[in-house]
């Protein structure tokens, strides 16, 4: 009998810095449905820790090296992903440099917090970003 459990994923709010100056956070435009803007991240592979998956996904989607700073929270609303039930472990991390789209990212861009187009975010990434901005943890 196959166990029926949610898929495990990870997302990262990547804070991009230029020396000591905060430039903004990274969002990707997705190639695949659901289309829109999203935090970089993806599924945890068998035998992989969520931390390693987060770092791997950032590198694949943005080309950036990221240092994870802290766990923002675990987001597990069964309706957060229209494809199937996904539980996401969400980190905040720091990076420097200019991101370049890779993997399933059509485009990647750094957004100042006040310029994030919240209405274009997919999944529950609007809630995650608002939790981050307001200093809440899930």
């Amino acid at each position: 009998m196959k166990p029926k459990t949610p898929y495990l994923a990870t997302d990262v709010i990547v804070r991009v810095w230029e020396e000591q100056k905060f430039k903004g956070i990274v969002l990707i435009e997705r190639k695949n449905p659901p289309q829109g803007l999203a935090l970089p991240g993806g599924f945890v592979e068998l035998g992989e820790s969520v931390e390693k998956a987060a770092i791997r996904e950032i590198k694949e989607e943005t080309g950036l090296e990221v240092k994870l700073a802290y766990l923002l929270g675990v987001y597990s609303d069964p309706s957060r992903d229209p494809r199937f039930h996904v539980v996401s472990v969400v980190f905040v991390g720091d990076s420097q440099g200019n991101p370049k789209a890779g993997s399933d990212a059509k485009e990647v861009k750094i957004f100042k917090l006040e310029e994030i187009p919240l209405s274009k975010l997919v999944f529950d990434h609007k809630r995650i970003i608002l939790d981050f901005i307001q200093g809440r943890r899930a």
Side-chain angles (χ1 to χ4, degrees):
M1 189 167 160
K2 215 176 182 183
K4 294 186 178 191
T5 61
Y7 291 89
L8 181 61
T10 184
D11 294 302
V12 182
I13 294 177
V14 180
R15 301 181 294 198
V16 179
W17 300 86
E18 188 173 306
E19 306 214 4
Q20 301 297 319
K21 183 180 181 221
F22 176 63
K23 292 173 63 178
I25 67 168
V26 175
L27 294 177
I28 65 165
E29 183 178 342
R30 292 176 47 82
K31 278 185 190 175
N32 303 315
Q35 294 182 328
L37 295 175
L39 294 166
F43 293 105
V44 178
E45 295 176 357
L46 192 60
E48 183 178 46
S49 71
V50 291
E51 295 85 356
K52 288 199 188 287
I55 291 166
R56 174 185 52 77
E57 285 288 343
I58 298 307
K59 182 73 171 166
E60 288 175 4
E61 291 184 345
T62 71
L64 294 171
E65 300 285 338
V66 68
K67 182 177 180 188
L68 301 178
Y70 63 91
L71 175 68
L72 182 68
V74 176
Y75 292 78
S76 62
D77 181 348
S79 63
R80 76 179 296 268
D81 189 319
R83 301 168 297 177
F84 31 69
H85 185 180
V86 176
V87 173
S88 184
V89 178
V90 181
F91 293 96
V92 175
D94 297 301
S95 187
Q96 293 194 16
N98 293 311
K100 292 181 176 56
S103 186
D104 60 350
K106 183 176 172 183
E107 258 187 76
V108 61
K109 186 177 175 188
I110 299 170
F111 287 88
K112 293 180 180 179
L113 296 180
E114 63 275 9
E115 295 175 358
I116 296 170
L118 295 172
S119 64
K120 293 184 179 181
L121 293 167
V122 296
F123 308 122
D124 59 351
H125 291 186
K126 176 180 176 181
R127 175 180 169 215
I128 293 169
I129 290 171
L130 290 175
D131 284 353
F132 167 72
I133 291 170
Q134 295 169 0
R136 291 190 305 241
R137 296 196 184 186

